[in-house]
């Protein structure tokens, strides 16, 4: 396994619509394992392939608490098939928008269809933090960040700060 560099905003690649994967092969499985390792080290609870520069419809998620055993999920070509009308609000963060957080409202429950690492069709129904996290990661596959769900004013503040931080980093 390997730790992969995570792309941070602002970066055009984060706006890309990722391509379907289709069949899961050894290279896809390796990328998913690398994504998980990268996510755990960060640490984070979700990561999409585009965040490590691979524009493919792959996400990994693990919302297990600190005192719970790990429960990694590897979702290939995930598609949301149902969303609840009731909504939930969580303070979201993102490894591509380091150190910035905002409250985002999303459907509280959802179902997602995907391909598992053994090329079997699978379905997951989620609520709570897992539902929010899976929706956040699937958004990445369509070039959407959590800041795209908040006011233009708040989004502008966060993106300007990130741009400034990036510039300072390059200069330093
Ligand atoms: Ni994210």
């Amino acid at each position: 396994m390997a730790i992969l560099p995570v792309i941070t905003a602002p970066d055009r690649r984060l706006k890309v619509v990722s391509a379907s994967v289709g069949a899961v092969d050894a290279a896809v499985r390796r990328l998913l394992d690398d994504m998980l390792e990268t996510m755990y080290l960060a640490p984070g609870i979700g990561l999409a392939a585009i965040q490590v520069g691979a524009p493919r419809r792959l996400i990994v998620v693990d919302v297990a608490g600190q005192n719970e055993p790990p429960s990694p999920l590897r979702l290939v070509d995930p598609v949301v098939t149902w969303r609840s009308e009731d909504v939930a609000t969580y303070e979201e963060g993102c490894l591509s928008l380091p150190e910035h957080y905002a409250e985002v409202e999303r459907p509280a429950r959802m179902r997602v269809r995907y391909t598992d690492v053994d090329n079997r069709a699978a379905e997951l129904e989620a609520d709570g933090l897992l539902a929010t996290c899976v929706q956040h990661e699937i958004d990445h596959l369509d070039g959407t960040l959590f800041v795209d769900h908040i006011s233009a004013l708040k989004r502008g503040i966060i993106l300007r700060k990130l741009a400034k931080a990036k510039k300072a980093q390059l200069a330093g």
Side-chain angles (χ1 to χ4, degrees):
M1 296 216 278
I3 304 296
L4 305 168
V6 176
I7 295 170
T8 57
D11 191 303
R12 296 177 65 85
R13 288 171 290 179
L14 294 172
K15 306 306 289 176
V16 161
V17 175
S18 294
S20 296
V21 174
V24 179
D25 58 16
V28 169
R29 275 189 283 266
R30 193 176 322 123
L31 177 56
L32 286 163
D33 286 344
D34 289 346
M35 286 165 61
L36 273 172
E37 195 180 8
T38 302
M39 178 191 85
Y40 286 131
L41 180 78
I45 59 172
L47 191 69
I50 189 61
Q51 293 179 272
V52 291
R56 316 201 54 194
R57 302 189 82 82
L58 297 166
I59 66 172
V60 295
V61 169
D62 189 342
V63 298
Q66 272 191 331
N67 300 315
E68 292 169 345
S71 60
L73 290 172
R74 299 165 173 86
L75 276 57
V76 177
D77 292 335
V79 176
V80 176
T81 56
W82 174 79
R83 294 174 174 86
S84 67
E85 304 233 323
D86 51 316
V87 294
T89 302
Y90 277 92
E91 176 145 277
E92 295 190 22
C94 180
L95 296 179
S96 293
L97 292 90
E99 291 167 44
H100 291 279
Y101 304 88
E103 291 202 333
V104 178
E105 187 182 279
R106 299 182 188 270
R109 289 172 293 133
M110 48 88 74
R111 262 196 297 276
V112 59
R113 197 178 59 215
Y114 64 99
T115 302
D116 75 9
V117 291
D118 299 311
N119 279 300
R120 291 177 303 213
E123 201 171 41
L124 172 75
E125 185 163 335
D127 61 8
L129 181 59
L130 181 59
T132 282
C133 188
V134 169
Q135 291 175 80
H136 172 125
E137 299 313 329
I138 291 176
D139 268 0
H140 275 298
L141 305 182
D142 295 314
T144 301
L145 302 173
F146 81 80
V147 289
D148 294 318
H149 293 283
I150 64 177
S151 74
L153 180 69
K154 284 188 199 163
R155 177 169 59 250
I157 292 170
I158 291 177
L159 291 177
R160 274 195 300 278
K161 282 186 181 164
L162 284 163
K164 218 186 246 178
K166 201 173 242 193
K167 226 180 245 175
Q169 208 172 27
L170 288 174

